[in-house]
Amino acid sequence: MSECKIPYKIYLSEEEMPRVWYNVRADMRNKPAPLLHPATHQPMTAEELSAVFCEELVKQELDDTTPFFTIPTEIRDFYKMYRPSPLVRAYCLEEALGTPARIYYKFEGNNTSGSHKLNSAVAQAYYAKNQGLKGVTTETGAGQWGTALSMACSYLGLDCKVYMVKCSYEQKPFRREVMRVYGASVTPSPSESTQVGRRILAEHPGTSGSLGCAISEAVEVATSQPGYRYVLGSVLNQVLLHQSIIGLECKTALDKYGVKPDIIIGCAGGGSNLGGLISPFMGEKLRGEADYRFIAVEPASCPSFTRGRFAYDYCDTGMVCPLSKMYTLGSGFIPAPNHAGGLRYHGMSATLSQLYHDGYMEAVSVKQTEVFEAAEQFARIEGILPAPESSHAIKVAVDEALRCKETGEEKTILFGLTGTGYFDLVAYERFHDGQMTNYVPTDEDLAVGFAGLPKMD
Amino acid sequence: MSECKIPYKIYLSEEEMPRVWYNVRADMRNKPAPLLHPATHQPMTAEELSAVFCEELVKQELDDTTPFFTIPTEIRDFYKMYRPSPLVRAYCLEEALGTPARIYYKFEGNNTSGSHKLNSAVAQAYYAKNQGLKGVTTETGAGQWGTALSMACSYLGLDCKVYMVKCSYEQKPFRREVMRVYGASVTPSPSESTQVGRRILAEHPGTSGSLGCAISEAVEVATSQPGYRYVLGSVLNQVLLHQSIIGLECKTALDKYGVKPDIIIGCAGGGSNLGGLISPFMGEKLRGEADYRFIAVEPASCPSFTRGRFAYDYCDTGMVCPLSKMYTLGSGFIPAPNHAGGLRYHGMSATLSQLYHDGYMEAVSVKQTEVFEAAEQFARIEGILPAPESSHAIKVAVDEALRCKETGEEKTILFGLTGTGYFDLVAYERFHDGQMTNYVPTDEDLAVGFAGLPKMD
């Protein structure tokens, strides 16, 4: 089909929306390593995991052989309120860059939570509801996941308790307010409401919190209150499974127009978007049916892929969660407070870590002022105000497109535009006012985090 | 076609997007009264208007006989970055209300400016650019129009000077910041930078500003600096023309599924959304081809249709703009500062005023706590966090749907969901905290505004 027929925005019909999620682990020769019990260092059993997660999600978490999971009708109905999401041909950006490359981005920000997180939030809330639970607990950093979960819980009539990293709670009162619109309770973390929170506050009285702390608190509440389970917006295998809808929609839309991407780029914090975006394409690569370059983009201030260790580590600061084998900076690593661009998690999805370790994808890190420059350029040219997280991918997509300009190659670039920047305007303001700095941890900084890695037998 | 085949969201293809705007004045027997010169009270000539507006827009403003205007390719290309906008079937809301009514809403919030204002912003910026101008000036209240114009100007490479009502400037720093992302200069109004601003500040030292003041300042700057013209986001005939794309897309989408609305509802401040939404349907009614009920919804605190006078009045507080014959509360009327729901303009589109005067549509006013209750209900059920302005229409759509539940009538209701509430979370917070009150002006309050109406011969 001729190029000129490709619209600015490709919307699939609701009928074309995927009916299954794709589990990339089924096609991996080297499976991601199992979660281990934090005390015994033995693989977590389904029974043990069921104290934390609801049963259907435990099954999804542990299943590394079933390639497809049917998306329940109720979840598809919810998806229809904001999906299929548009795959956008960035004609304006291509023209502004003067590149022969063709650039596409999958925009996941057109829902009130403002990001892709809703794809897994509704799935996790649905299975919790289906199991007859009363509510769920979670943590949120920048607030995208907490907002998404609040929306899903409100729709399904579930109680929702969110532990929000204290600095975000204070800096983003509007995020809090959106969660309140959806009826969630939001507590700044660390808090006095949990044992682990009180312990962390005693050890670090002035702490502004971290995702790792908030996870510990949310898990404690879920496992100590009857009728509650914990849910998590990234890192887990189940999350990558749900987020595969992003990549599946991309693939369907591109196939429809006979387009094959050469390079697929996603920002990487815990890996939820990147994993979801690349899954079906990675499946083809794993099966030897096609080849793609995959690029994970992370902040230079929190460089788990590019400077981390591939090792078993705690998923949380309080060390109450299972151990996961992943690229990690150590569960004690906390990025500098001047880092505004999200993607602050110390570890990484075990699935993506294994794929990276096995050489199936690349990773680069970028500095935050470069990221905000790319964000503003993108906003002015393509209209959409991007989230800082998403702008990591924009930065590298632009770099690759400019490389094509030099070489004259007509490559097709696909990147994930995971969300909007509506709640990140304090960061944009700092950028405009020249107050944004670039923090890159020294080797000594990283050594502190690595020293806290658990000793394995 | 059977009902069940209607998707949650109807997206037209880019090919189906309208190629012309529709000028409802062409089908009106009683045309809207002409703009009058504020000093002479004689109809404004094209030449006089050209000192304020760019030439092509003056033509559009004055033309009440040409039914269709071709949308230039450049504007259509810009539209393709965020249009066609979705027409949503509110299945979830219908179910939650238990109504036999079928509810549709046209959602205009899926662009970074967050509202329908972009439809006219890009048109006005385009004609200014085409005339070789250097830049444009405007006012903004809640900030939707200013943001939209900033985006359009950034895309086209035009300078953009925004006078922002002081209380919004202070209460909505993030709106300001988005405009800054797009390179606009934003000045709180009234300011010391204009004669009229200095005069208003001298008379009312502590004033928090009004749309009428900001208009006066923007017009002064446009007419005193070479290479600049003034642009306005509502009220004008040209704006209704550009916004007709909303109604035209609705009509195309509904026709495609064989659906005919019985009731069409829009919020009304200056009339840009309402006029755009109803235009093509009103055309059918005026030509006797179909009948529809049209309902304008306005805040009880600024009730220009329901309690205003149909009279010539100043469009601005400084009385530097032409006089327009419209439903008005008097150019000196300023809604109470506790009014958070937008739609604060003292007057109304001359076209809509004439149609209302001639009995072609109805109007109702609603109180702001009712509006926020409807907004929150809608957010929880349909997922989208609505702008307070849009929520006026939601409130009345819900009321009409509940009426259908009582009578058992299966009416089809269409309403305009003009924007998102991302920048209105201070208002949501006040609502949650029980700090929101309902101000309804007394007859004495209104008498003050009416006393300021110009004496006509």
Side-chain angles (χ1 to χ4, degrees), chain A residues 28 31-36 38 61 211-212 215 230 232 234-237 240 268-272 298 302-333 344-358 361 449-450 452-454 456:
Chain A
M28 289 167 69
K31 307 292 184 188
L35 294 169
L36 300 186
E61 190 62 31
L211 219 43
I215 293 174
Y230 169 70
L232 177 64
S234 193
V235 182
L236 297 173
N237 295 323
L240 264 67
S272 68
E298 59 186 15
C302 193
S304 42
F305 267 139
T306 51
R307 297 177 67 199
R309 298 257 175 94
F310 187 45
Y312 264 109
D313 191 15
Y314 299 101
C315 292
D316 63 326
T317 311
M319 306 179 184
V320 300
C321 290
L323 304 181
S324 175
K325 189 172 178 192
M326 58 186 176
Y327 279 85
T328 179
L329 300 165
S331 65
F333 178 86
R344 302 167 69 96
Y345 188 61
H346 68 274
M348 181 55 65
S349 144
T351 298
L352 292 180
S353 293
Q354 188 64 51
L355 289 167
Y356 180 62
H357 186 70
D358 291 343
M361 56 186 226
F450 295 145
L453 288 174
M456 306 303 292

Side-chain angles (χ1 to χ4, degrees), chain B residues 312-352:
Chain B
Y312 264 108
D313 191 14
Y314 300 99
C315 291
D316 64 326
T317 312
M319 305 178 183
V320 300
C321 289
L323 304 181
S324 175
K325 190 173 179 191
M326 57 185 176
Y327 279 85
T328 179
L329 300 165
S331 64
F333 178 85
I334 296 181
N338 74 0
H339 172 66
L343 312 173
R344 303 167 70 99
Y345 188 61
H346 68 274
M348 181 56 66
S349 144
T351 298
L352 292 180

Side-chain angles (χ1 to χ4, degrees), chain A residues 176-183, chain B residues 376 379-380 385 425 428 432:
Chain A
R176 220 195 310 163
E177 205 51 43
V178 180
M179 292 186 247
R180 221 168 147 199
V181 167
Y182 290 98
Chain B
E376 186 157 286
R380 293 184 179 192
L385 182 78
L425 287 159
Y428 275 97
H432 287 139

Side-chain angles (χ1 to χ4, degrees), chain A residues 7-9 11 14 77 80-81 83 92 110-112 151 154-155 174 177-178 180-183 376 379-385 422-423 425-426 428-429 432-433, chain B residues 7-9 11 14 77 80-81 83 92 110-112 151 154-155 174 177-178 180-183 376 379-385 422-423 425-426 428-429 432-433:
Chain A
Y8 279 59
K9 298 181 304 321
Y11 277 107
E14 280 165 18
D77 282 348
K80 286 178 187 168
M81 296 207 297
R83 305 200 70 83
C92 299
N110 270 354
N111 68 73
T112 283
M151 289 175 66
S154 158
Y155 179 82
F174 293 169
E177 205 51 43
V178 180
R180 221 168 147 199
V181 167
Y182 290 98
E376 186 159 287
R380 292 184 180 192
I381 296 168
E382 285 286 318
I384 297 170
L385 182 78
Y422 286 119
F423 293 100
L425 287 159
V426 169
Y428 274 98
E429 191 171 20
H432 286 139
D433 292 344
Chain B
Y8 278 60
K9 298 180 303 323
Y11 276 106
E14 281 165 18
D77 282 347
K80 286 177 187 169
M81 296 207 298
R83 305 201 69 84
C92 299
N110 270 354
N111 68 72
T112 283
M151 289 175 66
S154 158
Y155 179 82
F174 292 169
E177 205 50 44
V178 180
R180 221 170 146 197
V181 167
Y182 290 98
E376 186 157 286
R380 293 184 179 192
I381 295 167
E382 285 285 318
I384 297 169
L385 182 78
Y422 287 118
F423 294 99
L425 287 159
V426 170
Y428 275 97
E429 191 171 20
H432 287 139
D433 292 343

Side-chain angles (χ1 to χ4, degrees), chain A residues 13-160:
Chain A
S13 72
E14 280 165 18
E15 284 307 301
E16 291 170 306
M17 193 170 71
R19 292 171 186 277
V20 294
W21 292 304
Y22 168 64
N23 179 12
V24 72
R25 288 168 290 162
D27 285 308
M28 289 167 69
R29 197 169 307 165
N30 299 328
K31 307 292 184 188
L35 294 169
L36 300 186
H37 194 286
T40 65
H41 291 193
Q42 293 302 305
M44 293 286 287
T45 63
E47 199 185 338
E48 286 167 337
L49 283 170
S50 297
V52 181
F53 302 116
C54 68
E55 285 158 25
E56 201 59 32
L57 292 169
V58 170
K59 278 189 208 159
Q60 295 179 357
E61 190 62 31
L62 295 177
D63 188 334
D64 56 14
T65 55
T66 305
F68 297 105
F69 286 78
T70 298
I71 306 174
T73 306
E74 293 85 346
I75 298 177
R76 285 192 91 238
D77 282 348
F78 186 89
Y79 278 168
K80 286 178 187 168
M81 296 207 297
Y82 70 102
R83 305 200 70 83
S85 71
L87 178 68
V88 186
R89 171 73 184 266
Y91 284 116
C92 299
L93 183 61
E94 291 170 17
E95 195 185 320
L97 297 175
T99 178
R102 290 161 195 139
I103 309 175
Y104 293 83
Y105 56 90
K106 180 71 166 169
F107 183 43
E108 292 287 321
N110 270 354
N111 68 73
T112 283
S113 75
S115 84
H116 68 292
K117 296 279 182 179
L118 198 51
N119 302 329
S120 185
V122 66
Q124 295 190 49
Y126 167 78
Y127 291 118
K129 179 77 181 179
N130 224 23
Q131 194 177 315
L133 295 174
K134 195 175 149 198
V136 290
T137 72
T138 198
E139 79 298 327
T140 199
Q144 294 178 335
W145 169 247
T147 312
L149 190 68
S150 305
M151 289 175 66
C153 286
S154 158
Y155 179 82
L156 292 163
L158 268 183
D159 186 40
C160 179

Side-chain angles (χ1 to χ4, degrees), chain B residues 190-412:
Chain B
S191 75
E192 295 284 349
S193 70
T194 64
Q195 283 187 14
V196 65
R198 290 189 292 273
R199 198 182 78 212
I200 293 168
L201 282 171
E203 286 169 16
H204 310 279
T207 182
S208 59
S210 75
L211 220 41
C213 300
I215 294 174
S216 301
E217 291 202 85
V219 170
E220 182 183 317
V221 173
T223 52
S224 60
Q225 291 200 12
Y228 282 80
R229 289 295 184 284
Y230 168 70
V231 295
L232 177 64
S234 192
V235 183
L236 297 173
N237 295 323
Q238 59 189 267
V239 176
L240 264 68
L241 176 69
H242 307 147
Q243 294 294 359
S244 69
I245 192 153
I246 303 173
L248 291 164
E249 283 187 6
C250 284
K251 187 137 177 38
T252 304
L254 290 174
D255 283 352
K256 200 167 158 177
Y257 289 92
V259 175
K260 194 182 156 300
D262 297 297
I263 310 175
I264 303 176
I265 301 167
C267 61
S272 68
N273 157 68
L274 178 68
L277 174 68
I278 70 175
S279 273
F281 302 97
M282 182 60 85
E284 290 187 303
K285 183 163 175 165
L286 289 166
R287 296 190 302 270
E289 296 164 8
D291 196 17
Y292 303 98
R293 265 184 79 199
F294 299 105
I295 309 178
V297 191
E298 59 186 15
S301 58
C302 192
S304 41
F305 267 138
T306 51
R307 296 176 68 197
R309 299 256 175 94
F310 187 46
Y312 264 108
D313 191 14
Y314 300 99
C315 291
D316 64 326
T317 312
M319 305 178 183
V320 300
C321 289
L323 304 181
S324 175
K325 190 173 179 191
M326 57 185 176
Y327 279 85
T328 179
L329 300 165
S331 64
F333 178 85
I334 296 181
N338 74 0
H339 172 66
L343 312 173
R344 303 167 70 99
Y345 188 61
H346 68 274
M348 181 56 66
S349 144
T351 298
L352 292 180
S353 293
Q354 189 64 50
L355 289 166
Y356 179 63
H357 186 71
D358 291 344
Y360 287 102
M361 56 184 227
E362 307 163 33
V364 295
S365 75
V366 290
K367 292 181 183 164
Q368 73 173 346
T369 52
E370 297 173 331
V371 166
F372 277 84
E373 279 158 19
E376 186 157 286
Q377 178 186 31
F378 184 80
R380 293 184 179 192
I381 295 167
E382 285 285 318
I384 297 169
L385 182 78
E389 291 83 355
S390 322
S391 306
H392 287 73
I394 295 173
K395 163 67 183 153
V396 172
V398 167
D399 287 350
E400 290 292 335
L402 291 175
R403 204 157 295 144
C404 288
K405 187 178 179 178
E406 279 175 28
T407 62
E409 288 172 289
E410 295 184 12
K411 286 189 180 166
T412 297

